Amino acid sequence: MTPVIVRTREELAAARSQVEGTLALVPTMGALHEGHLSLMRQARRSAGTVAVSIFVNPLQFGPGEDFDRYPRTFPTDIEACAAEGVDLVFAPSREVMYPDEPQVTVQSGPMGEVVEGAARPGHFDGMLTVVLKLLNLVRPDVAIFGEKDAQQLAMIRRMVADLNVPVRVDGGPTVREPDGLALSSRNRYLSVPERRTGLALSRALRAGADAAAEGPDAVTAAARTVLDKAETADPPLALDYLVLVDPATFAPVAGPGQAVLAVAARVGATHLIDNVHLQLGKEH
């Protein structure tokens, strides 16, 4: 089944008016992979109608980042949506999403200035702005985001709660390659040697998870041992951060309880992120 493809606000409003029952939205920037497809399947289990948005959002790319070269694969994206039985695809242009230079945007606050936000200033402001616009335009009952972007998911949940947006936000589990690399549209940038180095992220997280029963210091030490070795590999890994944080606030954690071990690094010109949820002080 080929999904209905709409590109303007008027076309979207007309298509949305025809939806009966519940609607689930999977926001994406395209270049769809199995991780996105798993979110679509989750959306189908959550609602009678599934919508996917495809929009490479310029507001969340900083100077010198990969906006211009970010993969755009619209024909194959539509084929993937069709294979998953997606009902509606919203694929707006930049002019549709931002007809004028936006004067009022979402400010991510202190939570948007730490961890990934510290490495990419302004990123979460741009991300939250476009997500709020998409939620207002599509008006889904459920919106589904990948847990690989753990800080993004936590911030969207906070925005929805703080601004009383009438939508349920669900997370979808991270999908990995057989070798452990978390699926990402940016993985296609990696050369074979770079990919080999990039596997250190998932190995570090597994090492940290194995030490969860021993407490926070043991978790970060185990993960850091793996990353230290990768920093001397050829090509080398350049670590941006390794943090152990609260899953809802991304504030540092130092005692027993729920936590996220999050890591980000650059291999060559490619920015990679990954994370794992832990129960500190207990067997993981």
Side-chain angles (χ1 to χ4, degrees):
M1 179 186 72
T2 302
V4 174
I5 302 171
V6 297
R7 295 184 177 275
T8 69
R9 298 183 184 205
E10 294 76 16
E11 291 171 348
L12 175 61
R16 182 65 179 87
S17 70
Q18 299 300 310
V19 174
E20 298 181 356
T22 55
L23 184 148
L25 171 66
V26 180
T28 82
M29 293 204 300
L32 303 180
H33 51 65
E34 181 59 32
H36 296 111
L37 305 188
S38 71
L39 300 181
M40 296 176 200
R41 294 170 200 140
Q42 184 174 336
R44 177 59 67 196
R45 296 191 295 270
S46 301
T49 299
V50 174
V52 170
S53 63
I54 298 176
F55 178 64
V56 183
N57 176 38
L59 265 61
Q60 66 194 71
F61 289 79
E65 291 190 346
D66 58 341
F67 175 74
D68 289 332
R69 73 182 184 115
Y70 193 86
R72 292 160 170 85
T73 57
F74 189 74
T76 54
D77 289 347
I78 294 300
E79 291 176 5
C81 289
E84 293 299 330
V86 169
D87 302 289
L88 177 66
V89 172
F90 179 42
S93 65
R94 181 171 183 163
E95 291 71 28
V96 168
M97 289 302 291
Y98 303 111
D100 301 298
E101 187 67 24
Q103 300 297 308
V104 178
T105 58
V106 178
Q107 299 299 304
S108 56
M111 190 175 167
E113 298 171 357
V114 299
V115 190
E116 186 73 3
R120 302 177 67 190
H123 166 72
F124 286 118
D125 294 352
M127 179 277 294
L128 291 176
T129 296
V130 79
V131 168
L132 184 58
K133 288 172 73 72
L134 288 168
L135 295 178
N136 284 334
L137 288 166
V138 180
R139 294 180 289 114
D141 300 283
V142 184
I144 302 178
F145 300 84
E147 292 176 354
K148 182 180 78 71
D149 297 290
Q151 190 174 6
Q152 170 179 280
L153 177 58
M155 298 204 66
I156 291 168
R157 285 176 165 152
R158 184 72 199 205
M159 177 184 72
V160 163
D162 286 350
L163 301 183
N164 302 110
V165 183
V167 65
R168 189 181 86 217
V169 176
D170 289 347
T174 300
V175 178
R176 299 182 180 277
E177 299 278 11
D179 59 11
L181 186 69
L183 284 176
S184 168
S185 299
R186 290 186 168 96
N187 288 352
R188 66 189 68 198
Y189 298 158
L190 297 170
S191 67
V192 172
E194 288 171 344
R195 181 189 174 92
R196 188 164 53 243
T197 295
L199 291 174
L201 272 69
S202 58
R203 289 201 305 269
L205 294 178
R206 287 198 299 273
D210 288 343
E214 302 171 43
D217 291 344
V219 168
T220 53
R224 185 71 220 212
T225 297
V226 176
L227 296 169
D228 285 346
K229 184 176 180 180
E231 288 179 320
T232 63
D234 183 19
L237 177 145
L239 184 66
D240 286 331
Y241 58 79
L242 172 70
V243 294
L244 194 60
V245 294
D246 181 276
T249 66
F250 266 65
V253 297
Q258 294 283 331
V260 169
L261 180 63
V263 63
R266 295 185 185 276
V267 184
T270 305
H271 180 67
L272 300 173
I273 66 172
D274 204 348
N275 70 83
V276 65
H277 284 253
L278 304 174
Q279 180 68 34
L280 292 173
K282 294 184 178 181
E283 291 294 336
H284 179 65

